Amino acid sequence: MKIAVIGQSLFGQEVYKELKKAGHQIVGIFTIPDKDGKEDPLAAEGVKDGTPVFKYTRWRVKGKAIPEVVSEYSSLGAELNVLPFCSQFIPMEIIDFPKHGSIIYHPSLLPRHRGASAINWFPRVIEMSQKLTLFGSTLISNASPQGQTLDIPGAHAPAIVSRNGLFLFGNDGKMLLVKSLQFEDGKMIPASKYFSSSESSSLQLTEEEEKIKEQLRVSAEDMLCSIGYCPMGNSGETFHLRSGDRTDVRILFVLAVCRLVEEIKLKCQGLQLQNEDVYMATTFGDLTQTLVKKLRGEDDEEELPIDYVELNIDNLTLRMPHQLFIDGQFVDAEGGKCYNSINPTDGSVICRVSLAQVADVDKAVAAAKEAFETGEWGRMNPRDRGRLIYKLADLMEQHQEELATIEAIDSGAVYTLALKTHVGMSIQTFRYFAGWCDKIQGCTIPINQARPNHNLTFTKREPVGVCGIVIPWNYPLMMLAWKTAACLAAGNTVVLKPAQVTPLTALKFAELTVKAGFPKGVVNILPGAGSLIGQRIADHPDVRKLGFTGSTAVGKQIMKSCALVNVKKVSLELGGKSPLIIFSDCDLVKAVRAGMGAVFFNKGENCIAAGRLFIEESIHDQFLQKVVEEVKKMKIGNPLDRSTDHGPQNHKAHLDKLIEYCATGVKEGATLAYGGKQVPRPGFFFEPTVFTDVQDSMFIAKEESFGPIMIISKFQNGTRSSERVSEDQNSHH
Ligand code: TAP
């Protein structure tokens, strides 16, 4: 192609060389005059190659293009102008002269005459079936976009129209993601809708809507007149501004659009349009159609189809998604695999839940990667991200009773505790991290004290990408919140595996992310087996970080897998056996209350539970007697009953483990002061249990039960007990 290069600087020189390398004929270089007798690098390069170089001081006089300059330029017959870093005012006669128009690239300068949109790649004209102008582009170096291909004559490879926009491929392997397209007639559409934009049919307005249209016409005309346009005249209804208009007008236009949007809100029952809705509407007619669609509620995103399992409990209808959540959709697992989610209160099946397979992990990670690399999430202003997370927290609050009830039937958590802790703290966690979104910043570091000091060293915090999250079953929603909220606030995307035995609040949470407006692929939830799904997440090369809460043994295994595959970042919150030491000068009533809370809270399924109590010998018998008295008063029963203190253990395997744990304690010679057995009723209830005379060498002194089992050892003075505590390698990791 015959190209004229108009620009300057080393960047201009580089662009010129690349164009030549690509086989184009450079018919002329137009650059700035020499400074202090020194040529601009672009001019120097052209001279070396024998390319004609022109150095005009200016192209216009009194706002008019200089005829000699225009004719000299035109005589070269350029088919395309490329403007790399051009600081001069180039007349529109020159910009529009070549048959392919101009490509303007400004790494730092924003020339006054091009307006705000010129800050990006701006190929003004691309020959497809019609001429298009591209707006809002991002350079992407590493992505595999999915979508419909679009042939562009002369392009290195066909473009792809994806749900995130139009991908154009360069011959350097990089790609440009374009957000919006403008047609010759001025109509603007999201690039993602290139193939579907003409499908929408126009609505027949009702009498009432016609009235609104007329009111709106007055406001729109007023707005346009305020910036010196008289656009809707007799025939046309056009009111958009074409690119290339003056920047000062453009700014007025933006302000006028804001006014119009507010006026619409006032006149149309609080209807909130976005400024973009006005930009996208080419004609007044288009704007009216958009507005009426919104008023009728037809414009809402298609409602997500969810195959709920519905249950009515305590006058509350639970609507529970039960399929995997991948890329913003609830879907069956590969091969339609399912399993039963069990209610520990009576051992009944709550519902069938999709059981993720390895292929599902790969799909979820691919969706999370795309959402991060090319989706809206990755490009979103952190403040808007914060707003979405706040909205999610609000929705969780609106659904808190439903979430708490689901938690109670799925994990056996006592309802009131679930409401305040499992769900309440999860909501607060999302609110807390939402506030962090726009406060994640780096620092400048004075690395060199030398004078003069020209070093500038700074850190910038960036999201890592796809984060894998694997969590346990004791606080299903809260574990999800603690891990997920921080990842999302920082701008990452997430693939989360809940514990297989407690998947239901995580799936309900997924539904709420859709309601909050999270883009597809940002959150993905995969109920499934740890050894398969958790392991695949740890092994996946596109997962950049793994957050895990669970047992120490699995944590070690995960750390190893993450190191081997791609040295991914890992954070682990593991098991422990925290001590509680009670001295003889304590307030015994308070000490008993504290000891019981520390052991029996949430049925002992608590990672910060007191795994061992050291009681000073002189008060041991009294303490024990009081504890046993109090334990006997605990009301064991249905967790949905508001007066219940102690619900069922989380699942059958855990109950069996506790029974075995107690049998080991008895066999080793510890004194079983109370409990130690399954409660004789349906479900997985275990008696709150108290052991004493536990020696340091015993299994139950060393191993965490993760259940309602108090392990008491005596000590004679404080020094001895703290030595025994510090010898314990098992404190919370
Ligand atoms: P784990 O058996 O370690 O399970 C935790 C999670 O890891 C589950 O989702 C499990 O999947 C998954 N998993 C199992 N094997 C895996 C593998 N090879 N690769 C990846 N993921 C795998 O722990 P648990 O028994 O459920 O939970 C109890 C333990 O968690 C206790 O030790 C407790 O102290 C600890 N915990 C610690 C904390 C904190 S804050 N530190 C909080 C809660 C619990 P499945 O669904 O198949 O089991």
Side-chain angles (χ1 to χ4, degrees):
M1 194 187 296
K2 288 179 169 182
I3 295 178
V5 176
I6 308 175
Q8 65 198 68
S9 79
L10 280 173
F11 175 69
Q13 184 195 67
E14 203 181 311
V15 170
Y16 165 74
K17 285 204 258 180
E18 288 294 325
L19 288 170
K20 287 205 66 158
K21 209 167 16 156
H24 296 292
Q25 183 194 346
I26 311 300
V27 292
I29 288 176
F30 295 84
T31 187
I32 49 169
D34 299 354
K35 264 195 204 147
D36 304 327
K38 210 165 158 226
E39 265 187 327
D40 184 85
L42 172 59
E45 195 66 29
V47 170
K48 240 197 286 172
D49 295 345
T51 304
V53 176
F54 304 87
K55 301 174 184 171
Y56 302 133
T57 0
R58 53 190 183 156
W59 295 70
R60 307 188 318 165
V61 174
K62 292 195 179 141
K64 295 246 172 334
I66 303 169
E68 301 80 61
V69 170
V70 174
S71 90
E72 190 163 34
Y73 161 84
S74 322
S75 68
L76 300 172
E79 295 165 333
L80 175 74
N81 290 330
V82 173
L83 283 79
F85 204 177
C86 173
S87 62
Q88 291 181 314
F89 202 114
I90 310 298
M92 288 314 285
E93 290 90 326
I94 304 292
I95 295 290
D96 286 336
F97 176 85
K99 76 171 177 200
H100 296 304
S102 295
I103 290 176
I104 305 175
Y105 187 50
H106 302 283
S108 58
L109 273 191
L110 182 61
R112 288 207 314 265
H113 64 297
R114 297 304 308 153
S117 58
I119 202 156
N120 286 318
W121 270 102
F122 188 11
R124 264 181 49 91
V125 181
I126 280 196
E127 294 285 351
M128 294 203 235
S129 54
Q130 56 181 318
K131 289 179 183 173
L132 286 182
T133 307
L134 317 181
F135 284 93
S137 54
T138 317
L139 193 63
I140 308 251
S141 44
N142 186 14
S144 354
Q146 306 291 319
Q148 227 174 318
T149 54
L150 173 65
D151 274 326
I152 299 182
H156 173 69
I160 290 181
V161 177
S162 84
R163 67 172 190 216
N164 294 319
L166 171 73
F167 282 88
L168 298 169
F169 296 88
N171 54 9
D172 56 358
K174 294 192 176 150
M175 56 203 101
L176 199 65
L177 173 58
V178 177
K179 207 173 151 213
S180 311
L181 302 175
Q182 191 176 44
F183 295 93
E184 260 182 300
D185 62 0
K187 187 177 165 58
M188 211 166 175
I189 58 162
S192 56
K193 300 262 162 67
Y194 180 78
F195 288 113
S196 54
S197 66
S198 55
E199 283 165 13
S200 63
S201 54
S202 90
L203 302 172
Q204 201 63 38
L205 303 197
T206 62
E207 220 171 278
E208 191 57 32
E209 287 162 350
E210 283 292 353
K211 269 193 220 149
I212 293 175
K213 180 177 175 179
E214 279 324 299
Q215 281 183 5
L216 181 61
R217 179 190 291 278
V218 175
S219 307
E221 271 182 341
D222 185 32
M223 159 201 128
L224 287 161
C225 290
S226 74
I227 54 172
Y229 271 67
C230 206
M232 290 197 270
N234 299 334
S235 56
E237 292 197 314
T238 304
F239 66 76
H240 93 111
L241 293 188
R242 291 191 68 101
S243 57
D245 284 299
R246 284 173 22 227
T247 309
D248 50 350
V249 175
R250 197 170 265 278
I251 291 168
L252 284 175
F253 181 66
V254 171
L255 291 175
V257 167
C258 292
R259 260 183 40 207
L260 182 63
V261 165
E262 287 309 309
E263 207 147 329
I264 290 173
K265 203 196 288 181
L266 201 68
K267 290 192 172 139
C268 302
Q269 307 136 35
L271 180 74
Q272 180 69 63
L273 288 192
Q274 301 302 320
N275 287 11
E276 223 165 61
D277 294 323
V278 179
Y279 299 137
M280 291 284 180
T282 326
T283 64
F284 178 65
D286 278 355
L287 181 64
T288 318
Q289 290 280 322
T290 307
L291 188 123
V292 169
K293 267 187 207 151
K294 281 193 192 274
L295 276 175
R296 291 185 190 179
E298 289 174 15
D299 186 64
D300 295 344
E301 281 265 305
E302 226 172 85
E303 195 152 319
L304 178 68
I306 304 178
D307 176 27
Y308 291 109
V309 171
E310 287 199 9
L311 281 182
N312 201 293
I313 293 182
D314 291 341
N315 297 325
L316 185 73
T317 304
L318 307 183
R319 305 184 81 211
M320 299 177 290
H322 63 103
Q323 293 162 293
L324 313 184
F325 184 68
I326 301 177
D327 203 14
Q329 307 285 334
F330 285 98
V331 291
D332 286 338
E334 189 75 18
K337 293 251 169 56
C338 285
Y339 70 103
N340 291 335
S341 192
I342 305 289
N343 182 344
T345 303
D346 56 8
S348 64
V349 175
I350 304 170
C351 62
R352 300 280 288 160
V353 174
S354 295
L355 181 67
Q357 303 299 301
V358 168
D360 296 311
V361 179
D362 296 348
K363 282 184 219 161
V365 172
K369 188 166 182 270
E370 192 187 344
F372 178 75
E373 287 175 348
T374 60
E376 218 186 316
W377 186 251
R379 284 174 286 146
M380 192 179 278
N381 176 328
R383 213 152 291 165
D384 293 337
R385 204 163 64 221
R387 206 155 40 173
L388 280 182
I389 301 177
Y390 275 123
K391 192 162 171 203
L392 174 63
D394 289 348
L395 280 162
M396 289 169 77
E397 195 162 60
Q398 282 164 28
H399 288 261
Q400 60 180 344
E401 287 80 11
E402 190 181 7
L403 284 165
T405 310
I406 298 175
E407 205 74 301
I409 60 169
D410 202 23
S411 78
V414 169
Y415 175 81
T416 31
L417 183 70
L419 189 68
K420 296 292 163 210
T421 306
H422 296 60
V423 179
M425 282 177 70
S426 303
I427 295 166
Q428 298 313 335
T429 301
F430 277 100
R431 293 224 167 100
Y432 172 80
F433 280 103
W436 266 109
C437 290
D438 58 357
K439 294 165 199 74
I440 300 171
Q441 59 213 16
C443 53
T444 51
I445 304 165
I447 54 153
N448 193 343
Q449 302 305 327
R451 295 280 184 274
N453 179 355
H454 298 301
N455 300 312
L456 172 64
T457 308
F458 64 91
T459 57
K460 190 170 173 253
R461 291 180 181 270
E462 291 180 344
V464 287
V466 181
C467 296
I469 297 178
V470 178
I471 50 172
W473 40 259
N474 57 335
Y475 291 92
L477 189 66
M478 199 162 82
M479 291 295 113
L480 172 150
W482 285 8
K483 296 269 175 288
T484 311
C487 284
L488 294 178
N492 301 292
T493 56
V494 162
V495 175
L496 178 139
K497 187 200 94 64
Q500 193 175 331
V501 287
T502 52
L504 297 179
T505 41
L507 294 173
K508 187 71 193 173
F509 167 84
E511 179 200 336
L512 299 181
T513 64
V514 177
K515 285 209 165 94
F518 275 61
K520 292 188 167 116
V522 173
V523 171
N524 302 272
I525 309 279
L526 302 175
S531 53
L532 203 66
I533 302 310
Q535 188 63 47
R536 176 62 186 152
I537 294 175
D539 287 341
H540 204 297
D542 289 334
V543 175
R544 307 300 309 166
K545 147 132 206 174
L546 195 123
F548 171 80
T549 300
S551 60
T552 307
V554 175
K556 285 180 183 169
Q557 152 85 19
I558 280 186
M559 202 169 199
K560 196 165 145 195
S561 304
C562 290
L564 286 177
V565 59
N566 59 348
V567 206
K568 58 172 70 73
K569 287 167 183 277
V570 189
S571 51
L572 305 173
E573 290 200 56
L574 307 177
K577 182 95 170 155
S578 312
L580 174 62
I581 309 169
I582 297 178
F583 293 90
S584 58
D585 59 351
C586 68
D587 173 335
L588 198 65
V589 175
K590 274 192 191 161
V592 167
R593 204 183 303 138
M596 292 200 40
V599 174
F600 300 121
F601 192 80
N602 196 39
K603 322 162 256 166
E605 295 166 353
N606 200 357
C607 60
I608 50 165
R612 255 188 112 175
L613 268 66
F614 292 90
I615 312 289
E616 194 158 359
E617 198 161 25
S618 58
I619 58 161
H620 169 269
D621 294 355
Q622 244 183 313
F623 182 89
L624 183 67
Q625 186 204 343
K626 271 239 159 267
V627 161
V628 172
E629 263 172 37
E630 290 302 316
V631 166
K632 284 181 183 162
K633 289 187 206 156
M634 283 172 72
K635 186 170 173 216
I636 302 174
N638 186 338
L640 289 167
D641 184 337
R642 306 304 193 245
S643 63
T644 295
D645 297 310
H646 185 78
Q649 300 309 136
N650 187 282
H651 53 281
K652 173 83 167 52
H654 183 50
L655 171 73
D656 293 345
K657 218 180 94 186
L658 295 179
I659 294 169
E660 202 185 315
Y661 185 92
C662 289
T664 308
V666 171
K667 206 155 63 193
E668 282 184 318
T671 307
L672 179 61
Y674 188 81
K677 299 185 299 297
Q678 182 173 0
V679 181
R681 56 174 289 163
F684 313 139
F685 290 83
F686 189 73
E687 293 172 339
T689 297
V690 183
F691 270 105
T692 189
D693 301 322
V694 178
Q695 305 308 313
D696 295 355
S697 59
M698 291 178 180
F699 174 82
I700 61 170
K702 292 192 238 162
E703 293 301 323
E704 184 188 17
S705 72
F706 216 54
I709 303 175
M710 187 178 278
I711 306 289
I712 299 178
S713 302
K714 292 177 213 161
F715 72 93
Q716 279 175 344
N717 59 57
T719 325
R720 176 87 183 99
S721 71
S722 41
E723 274 168 19
R724 285 158 72 185
V725 168
S726 59
E727 273 164 22
D728 188 345
Q729 296 295 305
N730 241 347
S731 293
H732 193 229
H733 298 286

